[in-house]
Amino acid sequence: MQLAIYGAGGFAREILGPARLQCGEAGGASGESVVFVSDIRDDLAKPLDDVRVIAFDALTGPSHRARQIVIAIADAAVRRAVAARCKAAGMRFLPALRAPTHRTAQPESNLGEGAIFCDFTMVTAANVRIGAHFHCNIYSYVAHDCVIGDFVTFAPRVCCNGNVVVEDDVYVGTGAVIKQGRPGAPLVIGKGAVIGMGAVVTKSVAPGAVVVGNPARPMPQR
């Protein structure tokens, strides 16, 4: 398998090791099974962590067109735009990038394409649905009866407890805890909401809201 990591920032570099392993490179050693893709001209001047960085035009050319793509860009709107661009060009997304220490009980049918599960992440039960291009960063987990939308980002060490619905384009900051909902009455994080670092979410969050603190409350308007 050959893979293209779209993005050349810190998160892209963090998933390089798991990407190499999933491509079959023994010990994650350097090779041509993985390349980075960047839209920033300066990124193309030299390799990144000994891996070639190519432009989108090169990705769609004959030398790289067979590669599957995973998008390592945290911003949901940018990730969504990149996914649309790749899809319009007829590119294929990796079904999921899974670090060696990721644990899951969910069937593939419940998982959208392009998800990234970093080391020490977990999906605890089979009755979980996860949308496309989900980022699950190190030490984060998704518990039973949860529904995760498209282009959702969990920063490191997010605790998403049972019966929670996280709608599309939500960003959950490092160390945030989302309280468990109830069967038939899930706790809902509305579309495009931002959960601040270390926040403790005890009730549903409105679409587009930014909440911080313990318990989490909307950030005051300035």
Side-chain angles (χ1 to χ4, degrees), residues 167-172 189-195 205-211:
E167 295 183 345
D168 295 351
D169 305 323
V170 167
Y171 182 89
V172 185
I189 310 298
K191 182 177 179 178
V194 175
I195 310 301
V205 175
V210 179
V211 299

Side-chain angles (χ1 to χ4, degrees), residues 31 49 60 85 101 105 109-110 127 138 194-195 204 219:
D49 290 356
T60 59
R85 185 185 190 192
T101 54
S109 60
N110 286 357
N127 54 333
I138 53 174
V194 175
I195 310 301
S204 292
M219 183 177 287

